[in-house]
Amino acid sequence: MLVHARDAFGFCQSGPRMIRRAFIRAIALLAAAPWLAANAQPVPRRRLVGMVSSFSEQQLLPLRAALLDRLRELGWREGDNLEFDLRLAKPMSSSLSEASASLVQRQPDLLIAQGSPTLEAMRKYSGAIPVVFLLVADPVELGVVASLSHPGGSLTGFTNFELAVGGKWVDLLKAVDTTIERIVLIANPDNNTSAPFARQIESDGRETGVNVQTIYVGDAGEIERAIRGAGGLPRAGLMTLPDSLPILHQDLIVSLTNELRIPSIHPFRSFPTSGALMSYGLDFPELFREVASYADRILRGTKPADLPVQAPTKFELVINLKTAKLLGIEVPPALLASADEAIE
């Protein structure tokens, strides 16, 4: 008569021989279990990187792509071992604080702060969370880090412009249009680097015989009034500071300066590519790639205190020749030859 027995694994086997085989198999599996556990590949924990920016979504798209492309090159893939949480906020303290507080509640592994106002807002909530900042002028003077070479604490990153670059902006605007006698400087009162920048630029202007008038603005209406005021002045130019507020209202600034025939210079190349006369500033996509490199090192265990704050080494001069023609300006050949890009 055929006897059926059910082994420990639930399989129906026939006879004593099959039962014995099943028992031996079970013993072998139990013996191998510790080896299998020790050699199993652990599932990597997905790391959360959060960023707060006051650029517009459209302006940030290529910069976000540059950051994530570099992280991908370094082994971090969004949706796999990386989650990237980008929060956009208006360039006002209340909006930046709200975005930062909400992001910190998620307990990210790393935070990225774009701009001085954003960093000031984020520092209230970040605690010990590592922070990489960018586009922050003079972080030592602001009390953000102990020194550029040894930042200390949980913050490090990349500065944007030294205050002395203001003199370069004045010289370039004067070089492209030698008739300029005054410059209207648009500044954001919520950015704590605006005042020292303005003082430096006003001083540099006096040395070259140019009267620089700083006007603090907070919204589109105030920006429009400032630009129209500049349009009513003879031989006047316009300048914006490295801040998210003019970036947010870039189209308005470009259209008004062209309508009123005002030569202007800006820190960001997006202005001349959108129709403004010229810019002298950083290579933004490259800067975001450098931020990604710091993010990679911190995610792999390097402390922010061990990563020096880096100053920019490459600046680009971009001139829009079509706009120069619109303004009745003939760009001097020497200045044109020094430009990194001339937009036809």
Side-chain angles (χ1 to χ4, degrees):
M1 186 174 89
L2 187 61
V3 178
H4 295 282
R6 186 168 297 273
D7 65 19
F9 294 93
F11 294 109
C12 184
Q13 306 288 4
S14 300
R17 180 177 298 179
M18 300 304 293
I19 294 173
R20 186 165 51 253
R21 287 178 181 176
F23 178 76
I24 293 172
R25 182 185 175 202
I27 294 298
L29 287 173
L30 289 172
W35 182 90
L36 290 171
N39 288 274
Q41 293 297 320
V43 177
R45 180 173 69 88
R46 180 178 293 181
R47 313 301 291 275
L48 174 59
V49 175
M51 177 177 178
V52 176
S53 172
S54 50
F55 283 3
S56 71
E57 183 176 4
Q58 181 180 4
Q59 291 157 345
L60 204 57
L61 276 176
L63 306 178
R64 180 185 187 277
L67 180 96
L68 292 178
D69 283 349
R70 179 56 179 153
L71 283 171
R72 192 177 302 110
E73 292 171 2
L74 295 168
W76 301 97
R77 294 169 299 280
E78 190 177 15
D80 182 7
N81 58 356
L82 176 73
E83 180 183 354
F84 185 65
D85 189 344
L86 173 62
R87 306 291 178 95
L88 301 180
K90 294 180 180 179
M92 299 182 298
S93 299
S94 57
S95 180
L96 293 169
S97 292
E98 182 180 352
S100 297
S102 175
L103 189 55
V104 167
Q105 287 181 350
R106 296 198 62 198
Q107 298 183 335
D109 298 283
L110 174 69
L111 289 165
I112 300 174
Q114 174 256 303
S116 298
T118 303
L119 180 60
E120 285 300 302
M122 187 176 287
R123 288 173 65 195
K124 301 173 187 175
Y125 309 100
S126 59
I129 300 173
V131 177
V132 177
F133 57 79
L134 68 155
L135 301 177
V136 172
D138 205 348
V140 176
E141 179 67 23
L142 295 176
V144 173
V145 296
S147 70
L148 297 183
S149 57
H150 298 93
S154 59
L155 294 87
T156 188
F158 300 83
T159 62
N160 54 0
F161 298 97
E162 301 293 334
L163 297 183
V165 77
K168 180 70 172 180
W169 292 328
V170 173
D171 291 342
L172 286 169
L173 199 52
K174 183 72 174 176
V176 78
D177 185 352
T178 57
T179 69
I180 287 178
E181 295 180 355
R182 56 185 54 81
I183 295 173
V184 171
L185 173 63
I186 292 178
N188 178 7
D190 284 337
N191 190 328
N192 52 14
T193 65
S194 292
F197 253 123
R199 288 192 295 267
Q200 182 66 49
I201 294 170
E202 290 166 0
S203 174
D204 293 332
R206 285 192 292 270
E207 292 182 4
T208 57
V210 177
N211 177 30
V212 177
Q213 178 188 5
T214 303
I215 299 180
Y216 288 94
V217 298
D219 55 34
E222 293 178 351
I223 289 174
E224 180 170 357
R225 285 193 290 273
I227 296 175
R228 291 198 181 279
L233 298 173
R235 297 178 290 279
L238 185 121
M239 182 186 299
T240 59
L241 291 178
D243 184 88
S244 297
L245 184 66
I247 281 281
L248 190 64
H249 300 286
Q250 176 179 281
D251 292 342
L252 173 65
I253 294 170
V254 171
S255 64
L256 282 175
T257 51
N258 288 347
E259 173 193 332
L260 300 170
R261 302 295 191 267
I262 303 173
S264 63
I265 186 167
H266 309 272
F268 308 132
R269 74 183 305 274
S270 60
F271 277 85
T273 56
S274 297
L277 177 60
M278 62 194 305
S279 69
Y280 182 74
L282 306 179
D283 182 343
F284 267 33
E286 181 58 31
L287 176 59
F288 273 72
R289 287 177 60 84
E290 291 177 358
V291 169
S293 296
Y294 261 28
D296 168 67
R297 294 178 65 177
I298 292 172
L299 290 175
R300 296 184 188 278
T302 303
K303 296 180 180 179
D306 297 330
L307 295 173
V309 176
Q310 296 193 35
T313 58
K314 181 183 178 182
F315 295 89
E316 296 180 317
L317 173 61
V318 181
I319 302 175
N320 190 314
L321 296 178
K322 183 178 179 180
T323 301
K325 184 177 181 180
L326 171 70
L327 301 177
I329 294 173
E330 185 174 346
V331 180
L335 182 62
L336 187 58
S338 66
D340 296 276
E341 182 179 357
I343 300 172
E344 298 288 350

